[in-house]
Amino acid sequence: MCIRDRVSGAPMLFVDNTTISSMDTRLHFRMNTPVKGPRVIVPDKPWESWAVFAYNHVLQVAQGEHRMYYDCIEGTGVPPGVDALSHRRICLATSADGLTWTKPALGIFSRNGSTANNILLEDSGVSVFEDLNPEATQDQKWKMVCSTAVYASPDGLHWTKLPFASLAEDDTKPTGYWDPAIQKYVISVRRDVSGSRTIGRCETSNFSDWEEESRGGCPVVFGVDAVDPPGVDVYTNAWTPYPSIADVAVHLYFPSMYRHFGSEPFGFGNDGLLDIRIVTSRDGGRTRNLTYPPCANGRSPFVTLGVNRCSAGSPTAAKGWCSPTSGAEAKTSFDTSAMYMASGWLPSSDGQSVYLYSSGQPFTHGGDSANQTWKTNSGIRVLTLRRDGFVSIDAPYHFYAALDQYPTLQTAEMIVPALTCPSNQSV
């Protein structure tokens, strides 16, 4: 359905029950999953020799000008500084349509004496935003949030590291914005509570100190509950204000849910599989926690793992999924074992679709990072969904003939027949 607010014209997204006062019992919510497209970023550069990996961000700079800040790794895949062989960096790709991406030679970062690469800096866990803070100076109009650092830039390309009070808990991908509704920076982070990963929400006036107003740790806004099976927790958040932080209809989050194996089938600890879910909030978790869509399939994967093409002799999921030693990881689907959503989204050229981007890996979370057997079988794929179509309210297959007998729902002061709106029109 294409219902829009009569005053603002903003889309009324049916991701929860808050906009609906009554609904015909024949109607039901349904979470709509995106169509998987091809990989649009693949590891084809020497500085991507380990993988194009997990923690990425996309944004539209101007009409027909899109950027992707992405995880590019050579070495062993561990975070920067852990060993001399590991180089985990943030690279930049650009696109005019969100489908075809190029890796420009930026002339910014020196690797082996050459700046002919698309590397911006050495760090990981990236999200980027244009700072709407009225006090932000021109040389700091762009901000970058990483796992253990923050940066500022005049153009989103040339970055300066800022002072930072680190959070010991978050080694993955925090996501940040300046929220004009509350006139503060908001950072969505990982918090480890009682041995379980959760999503925390930090509010601060100081971009360099996320816990300035919550010294005991950023308040938890999402985690597993009694409905979830044992051995599951929340990895990343991929917070995406939709359609933008300046004009929010809903705050979307795409956490990777981590299903721990509970054993060490190949001798690696902290092992398991990760797929992508969707949870939402009308205010970004400020006054209420994030929730799944109110659908029968609301807790199902928003993006499912890829087809497992490991040989018949490979272990089962309970015993380790794909073997990290057989070479099967180079042949199976690139997103067989784990995936992570990039924060942000892009519009299709015709404005009818939303593009999201998920990274994938054939190796499990605890796989052998020092033994790179998957070769170039990693990357980032495009996902396509109808504009505003994350959750729909669906009518039954059989309809009555008379208009006044169609199933209805009531939202605000409107009673809306459960019909598809004509092209370019709203109810």
Side-chain angles (χ1 to χ4, degrees), residues 47-329:
W47 49 92
E48 301 167 339
S49 59
W50 191 84
V52 166
F53 202 48
Y55 310 141
N56 312 303
H57 184 88
V58 296
L59 78 165
Q60 183 178 31
V61 180
Q63 186 71 28
E65 183 182 352
H66 309 309
R67 293 180 184 176
M68 181 184 298
Y69 298 83
Y70 70 95
D71 224 353
C72 51
I73 309 174
E74 65 177 317
T76 62
V78 297
V82 173
D83 65 44
L85 298 176
S86 181
H87 295 283
R88 190 163 184 170
R89 304 180 177 115
I90 295 167
C91 289
L92 179 74
T94 59
S95 176
D97 61 5
L99 299 174
T100 301
W101 291 83
T102 60
K103 301 175 182 179
L106 298 173
I108 293 174
F109 185 92
S110 179
R111 175 188 175 273
N112 297 338
S114 172
T115 60
N117 57 63
N118 66 324
I119 303 170
L120 293 172
L121 52 87
E122 185 140 357
D123 214 321
S124 66
V126 64
S127 73
V128 174
F129 62 98
E130 291 188 74
D131 194 347
L132 302 179
N133 184 349
E135 296 183 1
T137 58
Q138 282 302 121
D139 63 334
Q140 296 193 3
K141 287 300 289 183
W142 289 71
K143 296 294 196 301
M144 178 186 288
V145 172
C146 292
S147 300
T148 58
V150 292
Y151 300 81
S153 170
D155 55 8
L157 300 175
H158 302 85
W159 296 92
T160 300
K161 196 170 188 177
L162 301 176
F164 182 61
S166 63
L167 281 70
E169 294 174 313
D170 198 339
D171 67 346
T172 54
K173 175 188 157 46
T175 311
Y177 295 93
W178 169 264
D179 188 344
I182 61 172
Q183 294 290 293
K184 291 182 180 180
Y185 295 102
V186 179
I187 317 294
S188 184
V189 302
R190 174 181 136 188
R191 280 208 60 197
D192 296 352
V193 179
S194 301
S196 180
R197 298 171 175 86
T198 68
I199 296 176
R201 182 182 191 275
C202 315
E203 291 183 9
T204 181
S205 298
N206 183 354
F207 184 61
S208 293
D209 188 355
W210 301 346
E211 292 184 337
E212 182 183 50
E213 300 180 16
S214 51
R215 289 302 181 201
C218 302
V220 172
V221 294
F222 183 72
V224 296
D225 58 24
V227 180
D228 292 299
V232 174
D233 57 13
V234 185
Y235 215 80
T236 51
N237 63 79
W239 172 30
T240 300
Y242 184 85
S244 72
I245 191 65
D247 184 26
V248 179
V250 65
H251 295 266
L252 303 171
Y253 297 76
F254 301 99
S256 289
M257 300 299 285
Y258 182 13
R259 179 62 187 266
H260 299 254
F261 284 145
S263 62
E264 298 182 7
F266 293 107
F268 307 118
N270 194 14
D271 207 0
L273 307 175
L274 298 98
D275 60 28
I276 297 171
R277 312 298 170 94
I278 181 172
V279 294
T280 69
S281 171
R282 294 290 175 174
D283 66 357
R286 189 160 196 254
T287 61
R288 64 182 68 183
N289 286 354
L290 318 182
T291 59
Y292 288 101
C295 322
N297 68 338
R299 288 179 182 250
S300 300
F302 183 67
V303 187
T304 58
L305 290 173
V307 176
N308 187 333
R309 294 190 174 92
C310 295
S311 67
S314 294
T316 64
K319 295 181 180 179
W321 209 241
C322 289
S323 167
T325 59
S326 68
E329 292 175 339

